[in-house]
Amino acid sequence: MKEQLDVVEKDSHKNSDGIIEFGAIINGKQVKTGEWIEVYNPYTKKLVGRVASINEDALDKVLTDTKKTKINLTRYERYEILNKIADQLEKRVDEVSQMITDETGLCLKDTRYEASRVSDVLRFSAMKALDDDSQVFPCDVSKNGKSRRIYTTRVPLGLISAITPFNHPMNQVVHKIAPAIATNNTVVLKPSERTPLSAYYFTQLALDCGLPANMLNCVNGKDIQATAEMMTVHPEITMVSFTGGSKIGKIIASKAGYKKLVLELGGSSALLILDDADIDEAVEVTMAGTFKNSAQRCTAIRRILVHESIADEYAARLAKRVSSLKYGNPYDESNDMGTVITEDAAIEMERRVQDAIANGAVCLAGNKREGALFAPTVLDHIKNDHEVVAKETFGPVAPIIRFTTLDEAINIANDTPYGLSGGVVSNHWPSIQRVITELDTGTVNVNEAPSYRLEWTPFGGVKDSGLGYKEGVIEAMKAYTYVKTYSLPWDIA
């Protein structure tokens, strides 16, 4: 059935009822379809926004038309557009932060930080857009060679399907879009239906800053499964870049066929605190790596492995710090933490914590729930087969697992389907080297949270956390291009 589309000529972001409203963004225009996906704030449970829903026929046309679009921006034009978007976002931090809090329930401290990260991604992408990473190979280096030189250049892949999750609703989007702009690719973006508002806001802003129409389209469909499948299997798609759960990532991998894939999936990051660790430093690293973003980060610390000789003191100090965290109304600027994404998610977290306690764990702080609010929680005497750590518990729970030897700690850390990131707190270099070498993860940080990185550095996991390919601006730009070689006569040695 053909969908009736009404073009919105000018976007005001809020309708007459004060609700944030976006049409599907297609070929530089906002398009209303009469069908809406509604967005509710997890704390107030009030409607805060809505985005237009398109059907499969419309999505098929969007993908086909986007693939036909050829972008030929110069390096400098890409650089200018990316920096212009960053300039505008830096002027609108409060507006962007408020919007992200509206749709996620995250506290303003966290959403302001996210807004600042977004501009980093854009500026790093702008910088790298100016780089020429081509290579030159002489051909007179072998008895079979000729008087020629072989050159390489990088060519855009074409149409990229970008599918993003709820937990960093603008930064995850920009991590996919900014490198695509920097490499002259076209993108169709499908943000999470739970938190789409900031993705549409960014898309509209990019167009307002001079991004060519059809270089970036942003869409959602009420039939989430059908939309996601078409965004995976459509024949015009060259690459699928997905961030989200491992279960969905495996489905995408099984259906994508002969397409390039970048999958950034779940995690169960372990922080190893060795017997020589400074306990205060270990507590600070734990706090930095666990509770930001309501612990809804794939790199958040999910397991704290502490040597038994310092475990009692560490657990007491951590519980004291965690008990001092302020959580609640995400719009209260003094709060350190807001809600998780839904009340159902908080209920499941509560069930896993109670199950751990019933099986021998000791609760030292937290374990209180009110709607989608879940108190920052510390659990001691956790075992690695407790469900709270055996599965990815996507929220503010700090589970302590005690160990006696480094061999045991490394075995526990690796005893998980995931392999995204990890960390170690120690000043004993031989032990640090072992952890770096033997942890089955894409990242290991020393005396720092497993989540620490810069927006342009390589990032990604192994095992159920991903295919080993990296994100981050530099690696994403490589992934979004292929290497073409050509040769020329060259008579001078």
Side-chain angles (χ1 to χ4, degrees), residues 191-308:
S192 168
E193 289 73 20
R194 291 176 178 170
T195 58
L197 302 177
S198 51
Y200 284 78
Y201 182 96
F202 174 83
T203 302
Q204 184 60 55
L205 179 61
L207 292 165
D208 294 342
C209 289
L211 194 72
N214 248 11
M215 191 174 189
L216 171 60
N217 292 316
C218 187
V219 297
N220 283 94
K222 271 193 172 179
D223 190 334
I224 298 171
Q225 184 173 346
T227 302
E229 180 154 347
M230 185 172 287
M231 291 283 291
T232 300
V233 304
H234 196 279
E236 300 294 355
I237 293 169
T238 309
M239 175 183 182
V240 180
S241 180
F242 169 78
T243 300
S246 299
K247 182 178 178 181
I248 302 301
K250 288 180 177 180
I251 294 172
I252 288 173
S254 70
K255 292 186 174 184
Y258 198 60
K259 290 177 171 57
K260 194 170 184 180
L261 294 177
V262 172
L263 305 176
E264 201 279 279
L265 309 176
S268 183
S269 298
L271 178 68
L272 281 62
I273 301 173
L274 307 191
D275 57 355
D276 74 301
D278 179 289
I279 294 176
D280 286 334
E281 181 181 28
V283 169
E284 291 308 309
V285 170
T286 306
M287 296 298 293
T290 304
F291 298 106
K292 285 183 178 179
N293 225 60
S294 297
Q296 295 172 123
R297 298 185 293 170
C298 54
T299 54
I301 297 168
R302 303 289 179 216
R303 296 170 297 153
I304 308 165
L305 279 54
V306 186
H307 192 274
E308 61 179 6

Side-chain angles (χ1 to χ4, degrees), residues 346-388:
I347 290 170
E348 174 61 16
M349 205 174 308
E350 182 180 42
R351 185 193 67 76
R352 292 183 186 183
V353 168
Q354 297 289 14
D355 179 72
I357 293 169
N359 284 282
V362 178
C363 181
L364 302 180
N367 191 24
K368 298 175 184 176
R369 184 186 66 80
E370 182 181 347
L373 286 172
F374 194 80
T377 297
V378 179
L379 297 174
D380 198 1
H381 300 285
I382 288 287
K383 302 299 181 186
N384 210 40
D385 60 355
H386 285 164
E387 188 178 3
V388 73

Side-chain angles (χ1 to χ4, degrees), residues 152-163:
T152 69
T153 187
R154 286 192 170 268
V155 178
L157 287 180
L159 174 58
I160 296 168
S161 166
I163 305 172

